[in-house]
Amino acid sequence: PVFKLGNPGDTGVFEMSDFLITTRGPVPGAILVEWNIADVAGQQATVGMWDVHFRIGGAQGTNLHSGQCSKSLSPQLTTCAGSFMLMHLAPTSTAYIENTWAWTADHDLDGPDQISLYNGRGILIESQGGVWLYGTAAEHNVLYQYNLVNAKSVLLAMIQTETPYYQPNPPAPAPFTSLGQYQDPVFNCPSGSSSCAMAWGLRAVGNSNLVSYGGGNYNFFQNYNQDCLTPRTCQDTMVQLLVNQGSTINLMSHTTLASNVMITAHDAAQVMQADNMNVVLGSTVHFLYTSSVNPPAINYPGYTAPTTSTSTSTSTSTSTSTSTSTSTTSTPTSISTATSTSADTTTPTSTSDSTTPTSTSTSPSAGSTSTQTSTSEGTVIPTVPTGPNITLPQTSTSNNGDDNILTPNETKQSASGNAFSLVVIILIAVCG
């Protein structure tokens, strides 16, 4: 790690504010912040971070600028690699984090040119002790923006993500490798898909007690082309939940842009964009999911994952909605079949991963009720392309066979959100 905050098991008082953490040149093995420290016993928020920003490239002197990494060039997978990961909240940690932007640059800061930078991972949260994130964002990282792995008691308030503009050229996880020791996502996509092998906005694996308020996951491009924006089909799916038996996930006022399936749980589509349009966004007021089984194991080459069973699960989704949203260097390297029945009256019109489980989803909307039931046989849910690790009717997936250029050397209920949604999207388009 570039910055290591304490050792596993350390507790104390630590405050960090007004830092910019950046890199110079490609450092595909660097974890910019490794956070181990936890709150003093019996106290809350004795360790925290305010107004600290991560920035990979985009500025003069970083050697990750339009001169080296312009989008007009063929993908410079080695010379324009960023870091391995921006921030890791380790299992022993706790954290209060406010107003933090983890940004892999998509354009020069001192000019209009767009650039293609390949930064492996955004924010990995494994904390067992409690994490509060207020007003944070992670953008343009290859595998994911937020990945919560076996974390407990996490609050995400107003998170915002964007998919890399160049994907699927190359398709995720290239130029990196999915690693079992970090519980990375594995992308099993149909050959030729332009909307499957893309970074997850939010991913939760084996977690318990996750609450998210006002989260937004957005995709504006496919390889810098915006033809997908009008039909809202840039990406197959944005949110992946693979949580343990008995775990509860609450996503409140969650929005996505241009994602066919807004939320998947245990590899089954749970919330469809087409059923939850709110001006330009797919919006759900409250998605409550409680798993009745453990998730299926993910297989990584050379890594033995624990075996678990597939399943039946239940979820409740309330739809319509308000939307919200809008460094120095160093070391690791790597560079359901479903049935849907619904009686639904939806709201205004507008503008993504692998086996086959069974699931049930109930989704009452403002002024209507909608029930979606997924089983292993019967009627077919709306036709959408197969997403990474999502099983949809009458589709099949296969390994995309990506060559990894860099390899590891280490082990609805609101009628008032429409205008606000549009304003948020405009702000993101201008500022992102």
Side-chain angles (χ1 to χ4, degrees), residues 176-211:
F176 292 81
T177 305
S178 294
L179 299 177
Q181 56 268 49
Y182 290 96
Q183 289 294 295
D184 286 337
V186 172
F187 298 85
N188 297 312
C189 295
S191 178
S193 171
S194 60
S195 54
C196 173
M198 292 183 162
W200 289 101
L202 173 62
R203 184 171 184 264
V205 181
N207 293 262
S208 60
N209 195 20
L210 164 63
V211 179

Short mmCIF file of all heavy atoms in Angstrom, two decimals, residues 176-211:
data_model
loop_
_atom_site.label_atom_id
_atom_site.label_comp_id
_atom_site.label_asym_id
_atom_site.label_seq_id
_atom_site.Cartn_x
_atom_site.Cartn_y
_atom_site.Cartn_z
N PHE A 176 -6.80 -6.42 -16.22
CA PHE A 176 -6.49 -7.04 -14.93
C PHE A 176 -7.03 -8.47 -14.89
O PHE A 176 -7.65 -8.94 -15.85
CB PHE A 176 -7.07 -6.21 -13.78
CG PHE A 176 -6.41 -4.87 -13.61
CD1 PHE A 176 -6.76 -3.79 -14.41
CD2 PHE A 176 -5.42 -4.69 -12.65
CE1 PHE A 176 -6.14 -2.56 -14.26
CE2 PHE A 176 -4.79 -3.46 -12.50
CZ PHE A 176 -5.16 -2.40 -13.30
N THR A 177 -6.80 -9.15 -13.79
CA THR A 177 -7.27 -10.51 -13.58
C THR A 177 -8.18 -10.54 -12.36
O THR A 177 -7.88 -9.90 -11.36
CB THR A 177 -6.06 -11.46 -13.32
OG1 THR A 177 -5.14 -11.33 -14.40
CG2 THR A 177 -6.52 -12.89 -13.20
N SER A 178 -9.28 -11.30 -12.44
CA SER A 178 -10.15 -11.47 -11.27
C SER A 178 -9.46 -12.38 -10.26
O SER A 178 -9.07 -13.50 -10.60
CB SER A 178 -11.49 -12.08 -11.69
OG SER A 178 -12.22 -11.18 -12.51
N LEU A 179 -9.29 -11.91 -9.04
CA LEU A 179 -8.53 -12.63 -8.02
C LEU A 179 -9.43 -13.09 -6.88
O LEU A 179 -10.19 -12.30 -6.31
CB LEU A 179 -7.42 -11.73 -7.47
CG LEU A 179 -6.37 -11.24 -8.47
CD1 LEU A 179 -5.38 -10.32 -7.80
CD2 LEU A 179 -5.66 -12.42 -9.12
N GLY A 180 -9.30 -14.35 -6.53
CA GLY A 180 -10.12 -14.92 -5.47
C GLY A 180 -9.86 -14.34 -4.12
O GLY A 180 -10.77 -14.19 -3.31
N GLN A 181 -8.59 -14.02 -3.82
CA GLN A 181 -8.28 -13.50 -2.49
C GLN A 181 -8.90 -12.13 -2.24
O GLN A 181 -9.01 -11.70 -1.10
CB GLN A 181 -6.77 -13.46 -2.26
CG GLN A 181 -5.97 -12.67 -3.28
CD GLN A 181 -5.46 -13.51 -4.42
OE1 GLN A 181 -6.21 -14.27 -5.01
NE2 GLN A 181 -4.18 -13.38 -4.72
N TYR A 182 -9.31 -11.44 -3.31
CA TYR A 182 -10.00 -10.17 -3.16
C TYR A 182 -11.48 -10.29 -3.47
O TYR A 182 -12.20 -9.29 -3.50
CB TYR A 182 -9.36 -9.11 -4.06
CG TYR A 182 -7.98 -8.71 -3.59
CD1 TYR A 182 -6.84 -9.31 -4.14
CD2 TYR A 182 -7.80 -7.77 -2.59
CE1 TYR A 182 -5.56 -8.98 -3.69
CE2 TYR A 182 -6.55 -7.43 -2.14
CZ TYR A 182 -5.43 -8.03 -2.69
OH TYR A 182 -4.17 -7.68 -2.26
N GLN A 183 -11.98 -11.51 -3.72
CA GLN A 183 -13.38 -11.75 -4.08
C GLN A 183 -13.83 -10.81 -5.20
O GLN A 183 -14.89 -10.18 -5.16
CB GLN A 183 -14.29 -11.59 -2.86
CG GLN A 183 -14.14 -12.69 -1.84
CD GLN A 183 -14.61 -14.04 -2.39
OE1 GLN A 183 -15.78 -14.22 -2.68
NE2 GLN A 183 -13.68 -14.98 -2.53
N ASP A 184 -12.98 -10.75 -6.23
CA ASP A 184 -13.31 -9.93 -7.40
C ASP A 184 -14.49 -10.54 -8.17
O ASP A 184 -14.71 -11.75 -8.13
CB ASP A 184 -12.11 -9.87 -8.35
CG ASP A 184 -11.00 -8.98 -7.84
OD1 ASP A 184 -11.27 -8.09 -7.03
OD2 ASP A 184 -9.84 -9.20 -8.28
N PRO A 185 -15.22 -9.72 -8.92
CA PRO A 185 -16.25 -10.27 -9.80
C PRO A 185 -15.62 -11.05 -10.95
O PRO A 185 -14.51 -10.74 -11.38
CB PRO A 185 -16.98 -9.03 -10.33
CG PRO A 185 -16.01 -7.91 -10.17
CD PRO A 185 -15.17 -8.24 -8.98
N VAL A 186 -16.33 -12.07 -11.41
CA VAL A 186 -15.93 -12.83 -12.59
C VAL A 186 -16.96 -12.53 -13.68
O VAL A 186 -18.17 -12.54 -13.43
CB VAL A 186 -15.88 -14.33 -12.29
CG1 VAL A 186 -15.66 -15.14 -13.56
CG2 VAL A 186 -14.78 -14.63 -11.28
N PHE A 187 -16.49 -12.24 -14.86
CA PHE A 187 -17.38 -11.83 -15.94
C PHE A 187 -17.54 -12.96 -16.95
O PHE A 187 -16.62 -13.25 -17.72
CB PHE A 187 -16.82 -10.57 -16.61
CG PHE A 187 -16.72 -9.39 -15.69
CD1 PHE A 187 -15.60 -9.22 -14.87
CD2 PHE A 187 -17.75 -8.47 -15.60
CE1 PHE A 187 -15.50 -8.14 -14.00
CE2 PHE A 187 -17.66 -7.38 -14.73
CZ PHE A 187 -16.54 -7.22 -13.94
N ASN A 188 -18.68 -13.62 -16.92
CA ASN A 188 -19.01 -14.67 -17.88
C ASN A 188 -20.03 -14.11 -18.85
O ASN A 188 -21.20 -13.92 -18.50
CB ASN A 188 -19.57 -15.90 -17.16
CG ASN A 188 -18.56 -16.51 -16.22
OD1 ASN A 188 -17.42 -16.72 -16.59
ND2 ASN A 188 -18.97 -16.77 -14.98
N CYS A 189 -19.59 -13.83 -20.05
CA CYS A 189 -20.43 -13.07 -20.97
C CYS A 189 -20.56 -13.78 -22.31
O CYS A 189 -19.63 -14.45 -22.76
CB CYS A 189 -19.83 -11.68 -21.21
SG CYS A 189 -19.80 -10.64 -19.74
N PRO A 190 -21.71 -13.60 -22.99
CA PRO A 190 -21.85 -14.17 -24.33
C PRO A 190 -20.92 -13.49 -25.31
O PRO A 190 -20.66 -12.28 -25.21
CB PRO A 190 -23.31 -13.91 -24.67
CG PRO A 190 -23.75 -12.83 -23.77
CD PRO A 190 -22.91 -12.89 -22.54
N SER A 191 -20.42 -14.27 -26.23
CA SER A 191 -19.51 -13.73 -27.24
C SER A 191 -20.18 -12.60 -28.01
O SER A 191 -21.33 -12.71 -28.44
CB SER A 191 -19.09 -14.84 -28.20
OG SER A 191 -18.25 -14.34 -29.20
N GLY A 192 -19.46 -11.51 -28.20
CA GLY A 192 -19.96 -10.40 -28.99
C GLY A 192 -20.83 -9.41 -28.24
O GLY A 192 -21.25 -8.40 -28.82
N SER A 193 -21.10 -9.65 -26.96
CA SER A 193 -21.92 -8.71 -26.20
C SER A 193 -21.19 -7.38 -26.01
O SER A 193 -20.00 -7.36 -25.68
CB SER A 193 -22.28 -9.28 -24.82
OG SER A 193 -22.90 -8.29 -24.02
N SER A 194 -21.91 -6.28 -26.20
CA SER A 194 -21.32 -4.96 -25.98
C SER A 194 -21.80 -4.33 -24.68
O SER A 194 -21.47 -3.18 -24.40
CB SER A 194 -21.66 -4.03 -27.16
OG SER A 194 -23.08 -3.90 -27.27
N SER A 195 -22.59 -5.07 -23.88
CA SER A 195 -23.17 -4.48 -22.67
C SER A 195 -22.99 -5.34 -21.43
O SER A 195 -23.52 -5.04 -20.38
CB SER A 195 -24.67 -4.23 -22.89
OG SER A 195 -25.33 -5.42 -23.30
N CYS A 196 -22.21 -6.40 -21.55
CA CYS A 196 -22.08 -7.35 -20.45
C CYS A 196 -20.82 -7.13 -19.62
O CYS A 196 -20.90 -6.93 -18.42
CB CYS A 196 -22.12 -8.78 -21.00
SG CYS A 196 -21.79 -10.06 -19.78
N ALA A 197 -19.67 -7.21 -20.25
CA ALA A 197 -18.40 -7.17 -19.51
C ALA A 197 -18.04 -5.75 -19.13
O ALA A 197 -17.13 -5.13 -19.70
CB ALA A 197 -17.29 -7.82 -20.33
N MET A 198 -18.77 -5.22 -18.16
CA MET A 198 -18.58 -3.85 -17.70
C MET A 198 -18.53 -3.82 -16.18
O MET A 198 -19.07 -4.70 -15.51
CB MET A 198 -19.72 -2.96 -18.20
CG MET A 198 -19.72 -2.75 -19.71
SD MET A 198 -21.03 -1.61 -20.20
CE MET A 198 -20.47 -1.13 -21.84
N ALA A 199 -17.90 -2.82 -15.66
CA ALA A 199 -17.68 -2.71 -14.22
C ALA A 199 -18.99 -2.63 -13.45
O ALA A 199 -19.94 -1.97 -13.87
CB ALA A 199 -16.84 -1.47 -13.92
N TRP A 200 -19.02 -3.31 -12.30
CA TRP A 200 -20.16 -3.18 -11.39
C TRP A 200 -20.12 -1.82 -10.69
O TRP A 200 -19.05 -1.36 -10.28
CB TRP A 200 -20.11 -4.28 -10.33
CG TRP A 200 -20.41 -5.64 -10.87
CD1 TRP A 200 -19.51 -6.63 -11.19
CD2 TRP A 200 -21.70 -6.17 -11.17
NE1 TRP A 200 -20.17 -7.73 -11.67
CE2 TRP A 200 -21.51 -7.48 -11.67
CE3 TRP A 200 -23.00 -5.66 -11.07
CZ2 TRP A 200 -22.59 -8.29 -12.07
CZ3 TRP A 200 -24.07 -6.46 -11.47
CH2 TRP A 200 -23.85 -7.76 -11.96
N GLY A 201 -21.31 -1.21 -10.53
CA GLY A 201 -21.39 0.01 -9.74
C GLY A 201 -21.33 -0.30 -8.26
O GLY A 201 -20.54 0.28 -7.51
N LEU A 202 -22.15 -1.27 -7.83
CA LEU A 202 -22.20 -1.68 -6.43
C LEU A 202 -22.32 -3.19 -6.37
O LEU A 202 -23.15 -3.78 -7.06
CB LEU A 202 -23.40 -1.04 -5.71
CG LEU A 202 -23.70 -1.50 -4.28
CD1 LEU A 202 -22.53 -1.19 -3.35
CD2 LEU A 202 -24.99 -0.86 -3.77
N ARG A 203 -21.49 -3.80 -5.56
CA ARG A 203 -21.47 -5.25 -5.44
C ARG A 203 -21.35 -5.60 -3.96
O ARG A 203 -20.53 -5.04 -3.24
CB ARG A 203 -20.28 -5.80 -6.22
CG ARG A 203 -20.16 -7.30 -6.28
CD ARG A 203 -19.06 -7.68 -7.28
NE ARG A 203 -18.97 -9.12 -7.43
CZ ARG A 203 -18.11 -9.89 -6.78
NH1 ARG A 203 -17.26 -9.34 -5.91
NH2 ARG A 203 -18.09 -11.19 -6.97
N ALA A 204 -22.18 -6.56 -3.50
CA ALA A 204 -22.13 -6.99 -2.11
C ALA A 204 -22.09 -8.51 -2.07
O ALA A 204 -22.96 -9.18 -2.61
CB ALA A 204 -23.34 -6.47 -1.34
N VAL A 205 -21.05 -9.05 -1.45
CA VAL A 205 -20.83 -10.49 -1.40
C VAL A 205 -20.77 -10.93 0.06
O VAL A 205 -19.88 -10.50 0.81
CB VAL A 205 -19.52 -10.87 -2.12
CG1 VAL A 205 -19.31 -12.38 -2.08
CG2 VAL A 205 -19.54 -10.38 -3.56
N GLY A 206 -21.70 -11.76 0.51
CA GLY A 206 -21.66 -12.32 1.86
C GLY A 206 -21.87 -11.30 2.97
O GLY A 206 -21.49 -11.54 4.11
N ASN A 207 -22.46 -10.17 2.66
CA ASN A 207 -22.57 -9.09 3.65
C ASN A 207 -23.75 -9.27 4.59
O ASN A 207 -24.66 -10.06 4.34
CB ASN A 207 -22.72 -7.74 2.94
CG ASN A 207 -21.48 -7.35 2.18
OD1 ASN A 207 -20.68 -6.58 2.65
ND2 ASN A 207 -21.31 -7.91 0.98
N SER A 208 -23.73 -8.53 5.66
CA SER A 208 -24.89 -8.46 6.55
C SER A 208 -25.12 -7.02 6.96
O SER A 208 -24.18 -6.28 7.21
CB SER A 208 -24.69 -9.33 7.79
OG SER A 208 -23.57 -8.93 8.52
N ASN A 209 -26.40 -6.63 6.98
CA ASN A 209 -26.81 -5.31 7.43
C ASN A 209 -26.19 -4.19 6.62
O ASN A 209 -25.43 -3.36 7.12
CB ASN A 209 -26.48 -5.12 8.92
CG ASN A 209 -27.20 -3.91 9.51
OD1 ASN A 209 -28.19 -3.45 8.96
ND2 ASN A 209 -26.71 -3.42 10.64
N LEU A 210 -26.53 -4.18 5.33
CA LEU A 210 -26.13 -3.09 4.44
C LEU A 210 -27.32 -2.19 4.19
O LEU A 210 -28.40 -2.65 3.83
CB LEU A 210 -25.62 -3.65 3.11
CG LEU A 210 -25.51 -2.65 1.93
CD1 LEU A 210 -24.50 -1.56 2.24
CD2 LEU A 210 -25.17 -3.38 0.65
N VAL A 211 -27.14 -0.89 4.39
CA VAL A 211 -28.16 0.10 4.11
C VAL A 211 -27.57 1.16 3.19
O VAL A 211 -26.48 1.69 3.45
CB VAL A 211 -28.69 0.79 5.40
CG1 VAL A 211 -29.73 1.84 5.06
CG2 VAL A 211 -29.27 -0.26 6.35
#
